[in-house]
């Protein structure tokens, strides 16, 4: 059951779809990582593939793309927002909004911020929101 590095090098293409060299680069980008065991590299790649597969399958089954026989970005972002398991992805898969709507939101935040600066109580409420 033990996977030797020698055996992996010949069969890794069939066992895993993601490029191991890219995953090695990403893993090495962490300052805590000095060397990467071949088995750890393979298992990280396989776990990543299985996670992406699970995310895609869940999003497809629970999304509207199923009606069109397609997985859409909206399905993925809805999953990240609604499903507790995937909520850590909400920043990476935000809901799409129109640029005009985003600009209005920014203007409103700016106006609200200016009003709060004049009002001491407003600043305290803002601090509570962040906590």
């Amino acid at each position: 059951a033990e996977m030797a590095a020698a055996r992996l090098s010949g069969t890794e293409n069939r066992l895993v779809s993601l490029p191991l060299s890219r995953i090695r680069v990403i893993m090495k980008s962490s300052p805590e990582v000095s060397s990467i065991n071949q088995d750890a590299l393979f298992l990280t790649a396989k776990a990543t593939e299985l996670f992406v597969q699970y995310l895609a399958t869940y999003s497809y089954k629970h999304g509207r793309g199923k009606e069109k026989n397609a997985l859409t970005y909206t399905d993925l972002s809805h999953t990240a927002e609604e499903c507790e398991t995937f909520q850590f992805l909400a920043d990476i898969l935000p809901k799409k909004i129109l640029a005009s709507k985003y600009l209005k939101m920014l203007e409103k935040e700016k106006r609200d911020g200016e009003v709060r600066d004049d009002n001491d109580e407003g600043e305290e409420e803002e601090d509570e929101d962040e906590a």
Side-chain angles (χ1 to χ4, degrees):
E2 183 183 313
M3 289 195 179
R7 276 197 325 207
L8 264 180
S9 59
T11 59
E12 66 191 19
N13 291 338
R14 284 181 294 170
L15 296 173
V16 93
S17 300
L18 295 172
L20 294 181
S21 57
R22 282 288 177 98
I23 291 173
R24 181 182 283 113
V25 168
I26 293 168
M27 291 171 78
K28 283 203 167 218
S29 70
S30 175
E32 298 90 39
V33 176
S34 55
S35 65
I36 298 166
N37 175 296
Q38 189 70 13
D39 288 345
L41 177 64
F42 172 78
L43 291 172
T44 300
K46 196 64 185 173
T48 302
E49 275 186 20
L50 293 172
F51 173 77
V52 171
Q53 183 180 353
Y54 178 57
L55 170 64
T57 303
Y58 185 96
S59 299
Y60 179 79
K61 285 181 180 174
H62 294 85
R64 288 195 321 223
K66 189 168 47 176
E67 300 158 12
K68 301 174 186 171
N69 207 23
L71 176 64
T72 65
Y73 179 88
T74 304
D75 296 334
L76 292 167
S77 66
H78 182 76
T79 295
E81 188 179 21
E82 300 297 323
C83 178
E84 196 174 326
T85 305
F86 297 110
Q87 279 180 351
F88 73 98
L89 294 173
D91 291 343
I92 299 166
L93 293 167
K95 265 187 157 175
K96 281 187 178 179
I97 62 169
L98 294 173
S100 56
K101 190 174 179 181
Y102 179 70
L103 290 173
K104 283 180 185 170
M105 284 170 47
L106 284 179
E107 283 180 26
K108 184 181 184 314
E109 282 179 19
K110 188 178 175 187
R111 283 196 309 273
D112 289 353
E114 287 170 3
V115 170
R116 285 192 174 154
D117 286 346
D118 297 337
N119 183 349
D120 289 341
E121 289 177 25
E123 284 183 11
E124 287 175 19
E125 288 173 16
E126 192 174 340
D127 290 343
E128 288 173 14
D129 290 343
E130 289 175 11

